[in-house]
Amino acid sequence: MSQASRGTADKTGGEQGPRPTGGGPRFVRPVTTGSLIGWTALSAVIPGAAHLRAGKRKTGFVLLAVFGAALAGLVVFGLQLTQNAGVVVRNSTLNAIMVGAAVCALAWFALILFSFMALRPSRLPRGGQVVAGIMVGVLCIAVMAPFGFTASTVKTANDLLDAVTAPDVGSSGVTASPVRAEDPWNGRKRVNFLLLGGDAAGNRIGVRTDSMTVASVDIASGNTVLISLPRNLQYVRFPPSSPLHKQFPNGFDAEGQGLLNSVWYYADNNPQIMGGKNRGAQALRDAIGYTLGLHIDYYAIVDMFGFAALIDAVGGLKIRVERDIKWGGHYGTAGTIKAGYRQLDGEQVLWYGRSRVDSDDYSRMARQRCVIGAMAQQITPATFLANFTKIAAAARHMFRTDIPRDLLEHLVPLGLKVKAAKITSLQFVPPLIYTGDPDWKKIRTLTTQAIKDSMADTETVAADATSGATPDPTKTKDKPKAHSTPTSNKDAAKSLDDLCGF
């Protein structure tokens, strides 16, 4: 049969045309510049698509199979994270993500390049080759960018966690217990965190802890009691194990007043008494734990001015401002935060919690608890991840804690429990407690009762509400006779929803 007749047979009889010499792949239609770019781009989403288009079926199906397996593995990994979100902050997990992101960046670069070459760009006109080459080069950069960003972000997170959780040498004088995966809380049913706001402004020397709140968390349920202590609580006692117990047997009276917010400062400036440098955190933990009758497990301190940057990083907070809050100096000349349910930026949140213009320390403490509650409710994991780079930059310079790095993976699920649990609040301020001559036994009794009430069953709470009875923790056989506070003890602890209007 002649060449012409074979060609005619192709058109009329459906016979296949001649194969190219050399046994190479045969295209259904020659690719154009646009289609070559399109098929290469499709390969970035569906690996193997360009090879299938080029007739290299075996390679195309292998790439699809590998991609499918990788995708399935990623889904399984994601499901594991949803079941145990704390794993994501583990050092080994973060390192694995960094390495995986780097490998994926190189793999996708190679995939785009080989997909482009499989489509034989040499068949295009010279102008088409130039355009296609430029577009594919841009595509290579585009597909590598997300993986590079992921690796960079994860490295930032890893470095940040190492920086803020690594305790200063000699900062506490105690050796941290190893964290055991099977029992990270060492058999405890509750864990108590001391949350501090440190004010090291330009007109002050050293750190003054002007905001002091203990978050007592039930590990099983996440129910939490926020216990606030005023900065001007005077003459706190120290446990016998504290070096300051011998120095101040009748209560802390340094600087003439012995305010609670001076304990950290005094301990840091008297290392000869404390037995070492940088023992302010331990001294304050001892004082507050002894005052409340609680063991303080961990502390975290936030610089007040860095706190404003953190709030800005998450886009601000929605807070119900009960009345106009003036701020700046003694007369509030810098500005006014208007009453209402408002979205406040970092500076406004800072001064909402700090201002004492036309108010007092105790009103300020109540506002600070509302800020903590608003953060717990409004900063979601999605918000945190979306603003992570800004948060990391702010946190590195404003946050310190003695929480071990290995405990973070267990702290994350506990934090998620707290977010969905009941949060109540208790503050030891007049008229409940007279700060100049505190009733220490009453403080402990109220603390114990608040924790007990936070764990009450729904049925018990409903029964109390129906009967109108309010437990009075001071009506016991050990009722203190001295330091009586002329105040009702009813409703000592309140829900943050009631207190802050959430």
Side-chain angles (χ1 to χ4, degrees):
M1 183 181 292
S2 66
Q3 183 69 30
S5 61
R6 284 199 301 268
T8 303
D10 288 344
K11 295 179 181 180
T12 60
E15 293 182 15
Q16 293 184 350
R19 296 183 179 276
T21 58
R26 181 177 63 84
F27 289 87
V28 176
R29 288 179 301 174
V31 293
T32 63
T33 302
S35 65
L36 188 146
I37 295 172
W39 280 102
T40 305
L42 182 61
S43 294
V45 181
I46 307 176
H51 287 79
L52 291 174
R53 169 64 177 84
K56 299 181 178 180
R57 296 178 179 274
K58 184 177 180 180
T59 304
F61 285 127
V62 168
L63 288 173
L64 276 174
V66 171
F67 176 67
L71 196 59
L74 186 61
V75 170
V76 171
F77 179 69
L79 291 175
Q80 289 179 341
L81 291 184
T82 59
Q83 295 174 0
N84 184 8
V87 174
V88 77
V89 298
R90 190 182 293 171
N91 187 280
S92 58
T93 301
L94 294 176
N95 284 332
I97 293 174
M98 280 191 290
V99 172
V103 170
C104 286
L106 294 175
W108 249 257
F109 175 84
L111 173 67
I112 296 299
L113 183 61
F114 287 119
S115 296
F116 176 64
M117 298 304 297
L119 292 168
R120 296 169 63 187
S122 59
R123 292 159 50 97
L124 297 175
R126 182 169 297 276
Q129 293 180 32
V130 172
V131 171
I134 293 174
M135 293 303 297
V136 170
V138 172
L139 184 61
C140 286
I141 296 173
V143 297
M144 292 180 68
F147 297 110
F149 176 77
T150 299
S152 175
T153 301
V154 171
K155 185 178 186 306
T156 299
N158 214 13
D159 292 345
L160 172 66
L161 294 177
D162 282 339
V164 301
T165 59
D168 297 331
V169 177
S171 62
S172 64
V174 297
T175 302
S177 302
V179 177
R180 296 175 297 164
E182 65 277 10
D183 183 16
W185 308 108
N186 291 323
R188 288 169 288 184
K189 294 183 178 180
R190 301 191 71 85
V191 60
N192 301 307
F193 301 94
L194 176 57
L195 311 176
L196 305 169
D199 188 352
N203 60 346
R204 286 186 173 186
I205 300 174
V207 175
R208 307 288 177 138
T209 51
D210 279 357
S211 173
M212 291 163 281
T213 300
V214 173
S216 182
V217 184
D218 177 70
I219 295 172
S221 68
N223 286 356
T224 299
V225 181
L226 297 177
I227 307 168
S228 299
L229 298 99
R231 59 184 289 277
N232 61 340
L233 190 70
Q234 292 180 279
Y235 314 123
V236 291
R237 270 65 171 170
F238 298 92
S241 58
S242 171
L244 293 180
H245 175 76
K246 183 177 180 180
Q247 184 74 11
F248 301 105
N250 298 316
F252 182 67
D253 61 359
E255 301 181 346
Q257 294 179 308
L259 302 182
L260 181 59
N261 78 326
S262 298
V263 170
W264 183 309
Y265 172 79
Y266 180 87
D268 273 356
N269 283 276
N270 291 274
Q272 72 284 0
I273 296 175
M274 293 299 298
K277 296 181 179 180
N278 302 318
R279 301 291 175 87
Q282 184 60 40
L284 189 58
R285 284 167 53 150
D286 288 343
I288 291 178
Y290 195 63
T291 297
L292 301 179
L294 299 175
H295 174 73
I296 303 299
D297 299 292
Y298 306 104
Y299 84 92
I301 184 168
V302 176
D303 172 71
M304 287 293 192
F305 289 92
F307 178 73
L310 177 64
I311 298 301
D312 282 333
V314 297
L317 291 178
K318 291 181 179 178
I319 291 177
R320 188 188 69 171
V321 183
E322 290 189 344
R323 64 177 184 82
D324 289 358
I325 302 293
K326 295 182 179 180
W327 58 275
H330 294 289
Y331 304 101
T333 56
T336 301
I337 302 170
K338 293 293 185 180
Y341 191 59
R342 303 194 173 280
Q343 179 82 14
L344 304 183
D345 62 23
E347 184 179 36
Q348 291 171 327
V349 171
L350 174 66
W351 287 109
Y352 172 79
R354 281 175 51 87
S355 178
R356 291 195 296 271
V357 178
D358 295 334
S359 64
D360 52 28
D361 279 339
Y362 316 121
S363 298
R364 183 180 70 154
M365 287 171 58
R367 296 196 301 269
Q368 288 171 354
R369 285 180 297 163
C370 291
V371 170
I372 294 174
M375 292 180 66
Q377 289 191 353
Q378 297 174 31
I379 300 180
T380 64
T383 301
F384 183 84
L385 292 174
N387 300 279
F388 178 76
T389 302
K390 294 179 182 178
I391 293 172
R396 180 178 287 274
H397 302 290
M398 56 160 277
F399 187 77
R400 277 187 290 162
T401 183
D402 65 346
I403 297 174
R405 172 67 190 270
D406 291 343
L407 188 64
L408 292 184
E409 65 177 279
H410 307 287
L411 191 59
V412 170
L414 181 62
L416 294 176
K417 281 185 182 179
V418 171
K419 187 176 180 63
K422 178 173 65 174
I423 302 178
T424 52
S425 179
L426 173 66
Q427 60 177 350
F428 295 118
V429 299
L432 185 67
I433 294 294
Y434 176 52
T435 58
D437 187 16
D439 185 338
W440 305 114
K441 192 166 187 177
K442 183 178 181 180
I443 288 175
R444 287 191 173 197
T445 303
L446 291 173
T447 298
T448 301
Q449 187 64 46
I451 291 174
K452 181 180 177 181
D453 290 344
S454 77
M455 300 307 301
D457 293 335
T458 305
E459 292 78 13
T460 304
V461 174
D464 289 343
T466 303
S467 65
T470 304
D472 189 343
T474 63
K475 293 180 180 179
T476 65
K477 63 180 181 179
D478 295 324
K479 180 178 178 179
K481 297 180 180 180
H483 303 293
S484 297
T485 302
T487 175
S488 167
N489 295 312
K490 294 183 178 181
D491 300 325
K494 297 181 180 180
S495 162
L496 280 187
D497 288 348
D498 296 332
L499 181 69
C500 308
F502 291 149

